[in-house]
Amino acid sequence: MLVLALGQLGIALRGVVPDLVSIPAANTTIVCALVLGLRSLRLLRGGSRGDPFGWMLALLLFALLVIFSEIFPIYRVRVLFISSALSILFVRIALELRRDVPVECTSSYKFTEWVMWAVAAMTMARAASTIVEQSSDLLAPGVLRSSTFLLYTGFTTAATLGVMWIEIQRLERDLIRSARIDALTGVLSRGSFLEEFGREVSRSEREGTVFSLAIFDLDNFKRLNDRYGHPEGDRALKSVVETMRATIRRHDLLGRYGGEEFALLMPNTGKETAIRVAERVRGEIDLAGFRVGGERVGLTVSGGVATFQLDGFDWDSLLIAADNALYAAKETGRNRIVAAGSEAPTDAG
């Protein structure tokens, strides 16, 4: 916006400053502002910093404006070049705003996109009007010129509000996501997992279905942290989560319950199936292991499985049942799954 303001100031000072400043330099500065705007939009979306085409367009425009203002001063040609360059950039920004729009930010992206389409259309119309214009003075009084500058001001304000709206919606999305998602592992936070558990209880009672809960705990995680440091410990947690996500079923919900404890909610799942799912998770983690500096470090989990209505009728009772089963798995050698009520470990493979 600062670069855009500098370009507009240069145009406003025409007749006070040399034409080289008020025509080539000022208009190229406005184009550079749009290139920077496109770059900022891509950075906001996690894309590339560079825009060779945009900078080449700005350089080409500057050269053409110098020729047609200092050597061959032709007003219509200058306006056509300026309008064409601006239209190209407005269209590129509009197209960028259309790509991979976050669902939570649809309204702000769409509003700003249509502002860009509108100003691009107006700019092209302005270029077309130069073909039939009689005056050669850009700042000469006239309804068309006055309305054009007023519309540009309005579109600039609307675009600024649109970008602010995008940022506000993105911040709202990030705040909601940070409250729901564990920052380190990317799975549901404890609070969000409990909310999902409550919904599953209501659905189960309403429809007469059952579901199961599994609690996993990394074996000897403190020893890994003490030996290799907390950064490697964090990396181990991420590795375990990646394996879990690749192993569980699409409708299962995974959350981080504590430091190295994870909870798995399995809708419409009885105990036998839940045991098989939990055992598959345990086996895949054991198989994947973990590497620190090229050295393979054993990384395993123990788990306890409990089923709604069989082992408990609310979070507290079901958690106690799953925790007791997890404790039995730890006590009987780790790297195994135990079902609530049986207190007997499944085959650790």
Side-chain angles (χ1 to χ4, degrees):
M1 295 306 295
L2 177 61
V3 175
L4 179 62
L6 289 173
Q8 292 172 333
L9 177 63
I11 292 177
L13 291 175
R14 187 176 181 193
V16 179
V17 298
D19 285 350
L20 185 64
V21 175
S22 63
I23 301 177
N27 284 285
T28 303
T29 300
I30 291 174
V31 168
C32 288
L34 294 180
V35 175
L36 289 173
L38 181 59
R39 173 182 180 272
S40 298
L41 179 60
R42 287 174 174 168
L43 284 175
L44 184 69
R45 298 158 59 85
S48 173
R49 292 174 174 267
D51 185 13
F53 175 82
W55 297 120
M56 289 174 61
L57 181 65
L59 184 61
L60 176 62
L61 177 66
F62 180 79
L64 291 172
L65 290 180
V66 169
I67 294 171
F68 288 98
S69 63
E70 298 295 319
I71 303 174
F72 306 106
I74 306 175
Y75 163 71
R76 286 183 173 80
V77 173
R78 293 200 305 267
V79 173
L80 284 171
F81 283 144
I82 294 167
S83 299
S84 299
L86 293 174
S87 298
I88 290 171
L89 290 171
F90 284 131
V91 168
R92 292 184 75 203
I93 293 173
L95 292 174
E96 186 68 26
L97 286 164
R98 177 173 289 189
R99 291 179 52 247
D100 302 324
V101 178
V103 175
E104 304 89 343
C105 308
T106 302
S107 53
S108 59
Y109 271 79
K110 186 62 66 176
F111 171 79
T112 312
E113 178 196 341
W114 281 110
V115 169
M116 293 301 167
W117 283 119
V119 72
M122 189 192 72
T123 304
M124 288 186 281
R126 177 73 181 102
S129 72
T130 61
I131 298 174
V132 296
E133 279 186 356
Q134 298 300 316
S135 174
S136 61
D137 186 356
L138 177 64
L139 299 179
V143 175
L144 180 60
R145 292 186 180 84
S146 298
S147 60
T148 298
F149 284 116
L150 286 173
L151 285 172
Y152 267 126
T153 302
F155 282 129
T156 301
T157 303
T160 302
L161 292 174
V163 171
M164 292 174 64
W165 190 6
I166 288 174
E167 184 62 18
I168 289 170
Q169 287 197 325
R170 287 176 63 91
L171 287 172
E172 288 177 345
R173 180 198 63 175
D174 292 344
L175 285 172
I176 293 172
R177 184 172 295 177
S178 65
R180 283 188 53 81
I181 303 299
D182 177 65
L184 176 64
T185 60
V187 298
L188 291 174
S189 64
R190 178 170 177 167
S192 297
F193 187 86
L194 290 176
E195 289 179 7
E196 295 296 337
F197 181 88
R199 293 191 185 97
E200 192 58 34
V201 168
S202 298
R203 192 176 71 85
S204 179
E205 292 175 342
R206 184 175 62 252
E207 300 177 4
T209 59
V210 299
F211 65 89
S212 295
L213 172 72
I215 302 294
F216 297 95
D217 184 84
L218 270 68
D219 297 324
N220 301 313
F221 184 69
K222 184 178 183 302
R223 186 186 305 170
L224 186 149
N225 258 339
D226 292 343
R227 180 176 179 181
Y228 299 105
H230 289 284
E232 291 297 334
D234 289 346
R235 200 165 66 83
L237 290 175
K238 294 178 183 178
S239 174
V240 166
V241 166
E242 288 176 3
T243 303
M244 285 183 165
R245 278 177 159 171
T247 307
I248 62 176
R249 301 165 303 176
R250 183 178 301 176
H251 58 277
D252 294 337
L253 295 173
L254 181 64
R256 188 179 182 187
Y257 180 67
E260 65 268 21
E261 285 190 330
F262 295 91
L264 179 64
L265 186 63
M266 294 171 276
N268 292 318
T269 304
K271 183 168 288 186
E272 293 301 320
T273 302
I275 292 172
R276 288 197 296 271
V277 172
E279 179 60 35
R280 187 165 64 245
V281 169
R282 181 209 62 78
E284 289 297 322
I285 292 173
D286 186 17
L287 183 65
F290 182 64
R291 291 189 174 276
V292 179
E295 174 188 356
R296 191 180 190 280
V297 178
L299 189 61
T300 61
V301 296
S302 298
V305 175
T307 300
F308 184 66
Q309 295 181 351
L310 293 178
D311 304 307
F313 293 88
D314 55 28
W315 169 255
D316 290 335
S317 59
L318 205 62
L319 176 63
I320 289 173
D323 258 345
N324 287 338
L326 172 61
Y327 180 78
K330 293 283 189 180
E331 287 295 302
T332 53
R334 298 186 176 87
N335 190 24
R336 59 195 64 218
I337 303 297
V338 172
S342 68
E343 312 306 328
T346 65
D347 182 12

